[in-house]
Amino acid sequence: MNLSLLWIPVTLAAAAAQTGRNATQRRLTEKIGTVGATQVRFLYGFPFALIALAVVRLATSEAVPLPNGTFFLYVLAGAMSQIMATALMLSAMRERAFSVVTAYTKTEPVQVALFGLVLLGDQLTPVIALAILIATLGVIVMSVKPGASLTSSGLRPVLSGVVSGAFFALAAIGFRGAILSLGEGSSLIRATTTLVWGLGLQTAILLIWLGLFDRKALTASFAAWRPSLGAGFLGALASQFWFLGFALTTAANVRTLALVEVLMAQAVSHRFLSQATSRREIIGMVLIVGGVALLLLAQS
């Protein structure tokens, strides 16, 4: 395999794992609330990240990179943004279909491209920019039910989903910046090190928050440890692949290809959540596939 294209299977694996994690967290939201379900991906994912770092360290014999001030700024920004993004996404999922809210959050690639250009200097070719716009248009089309508007079920889930996408975009840029700021080591060791720091910070922040303001949700998350453990594992697995993708290419490339998650979410909605697929959603999915295909052609 051409190693320059390794980010493609890595991103597809991340999207698959994240779809499973989102579905698991959506069910947990009904039991332990939005904040409680938000923190399980971090609290229960952190041990798996530590295991992954230990395995990578033993397998490669590489030293764990030492963090610096720039790394801490980027990883903290990424950690906080991802917490906000996850909470807003789960809140919106309580009011709209799983696949539709996933689509709202996937306005993210355009925002990632802009943030990446401004904050990290990641460049875009005209073809890649067009691919991002086409795929994002597919997300927007897919989000509208036939005969209805984007706000047909109220503005709150729409705004929550779109703002969630913005925070996911900032998280992607923050974590890519953190990975790049670790000057030494392979892409794998730098990505895994960043994952451990990110999940560790997120776990500490949410444990303190819940301990102070929502002990009931914290206790409930411990009681629901079986499904929470599954969500944590899938979250850590997805993040491992996301971070490796960020180490290999621009965040815009990764997050645009990640739009295949919308198609995976649609399959989950249809198979497990008994949510039908409309003709407009099919058109949107075709545009997403077209945009992703154009992106991949631009990389060849």
Side-chain angles (χ1 to χ4, degrees):
M1 177 185 292
N2 184 346
L3 292 181
S4 66
L5 300 180
L6 183 60
W7 67 272
I8 295 174
V10 163
T11 300
L12 293 175
Q18 182 158 298
T19 300
R21 187 213 67 208
N22 286 346
T24 302
Q25 280 187 290
R26 183 183 186 273
R27 289 190 291 269
L28 281 170
T29 302
E30 300 171 359
K31 296 181 179 179
I32 60 178
T34 299
V35 179
T38 297
Q39 70 92 29
V40 299
R41 68 170 292 188
F42 307 121
L43 174 64
Y44 289 90
F46 183 51
F48 292 110
L50 290 172
I51 293 171
L53 182 59
V55 170
V56 170
R57 173 72 177 83
L58 290 173
T60 64
S61 298
E62 289 188 85
V64 177
L66 295 177
N68 51 58
T70 302
F71 173 86
F72 277 120
L73 288 175
Y74 273 123
V75 79
L76 181 59
M80 291 297 296
S81 296
Q82 194 173 50
I83 289 172
M84 293 298 300
T86 304
L88 286 166
M89 178 188 70
L90 292 175
S91 176
M93 282 180 176
R94 299 183 74 172
E95 300 183 48
R96 288 298 303 265
F98 174 78
S99 60
V100 173
V101 173
T102 299
Y104 284 139
T105 67
K106 296 310 174 187
T107 55
E108 172 194 358
V110 171
Q111 301 175 76
V112 167
L114 294 175
F115 291 145
L117 178 64
V118 173
L119 299 176
L120 299 179
D122 288 340
Q123 298 299 312
L124 291 175
T125 67
V127 175
I128 291 176
L130 179 61
I132 293 171
L133 290 174
I134 291 173
T136 304
L137 177 61
V139 170
I140 295 172
V141 170
M142 185 177 171
S143 300
V144 184
K145 292 182 178 180
S149 69
L150 277 170
T151 60
S152 60
S153 62
L155 277 175
R156 187 166 63 180
V158 177
L159 291 176
S160 294
V162 173
V163 175
S164 172
F167 277 114
F168 274 127
L170 288 171
I173 296 304
F175 289 134
R176 174 165 162 79
I179 292 167
L180 295 178
S181 72
L182 294 175
E184 298 182 355
S186 66
S187 297
L188 181 58
I189 194 72
R190 288 186 288 116
T192 309
T193 299
T194 304
L195 173 62
V196 167
W197 278 100
L199 284 178
L201 284 170
Q202 289 164 326
T203 299
I205 290 167
L206 282 169
L207 282 176
I208 292 171
W209 175 270
L210 290 172
L212 291 174
F213 302 107
D214 198 347
R215 293 184 182 179
K216 182 179 180 181
L218 181 60
T219 302
S221 70
F222 289 134
W225 66 271
R226 290 181 186 274
S228 296
L229 194 63
F233 170 75
L234 289 172
L237 181 64
S239 294
Q240 176 69 67
F241 285 120
W242 287 135
F243 283 28
L244 183 54
F246 295 150
L248 295 170
T249 189
T250 66
N253 281 347
V254 172
R255 300 312 289 168
T256 301
L257 179 56
L259 289 175
V260 298
E261 184 190 343
V262 175
L263 311 184
M264 296 176 185
Q266 187 66 34
V268 170
S269 294
H270 180 72
R271 175 66 179 84
F272 298 107
L273 305 179
S274 301
Q275 295 170 351
T277 302
S278 71
R279 181 179 300 177
R280 186 178 292 266
E281 287 170 340
I282 293 173
I283 294 172
M285 287 188 280
V286 169
L287 287 171
I288 291 170
V289 171
V292 167
L294 184 60
L295 173 72
L296 298 181
L297 287 174
Q299 308 297 321
S300 60

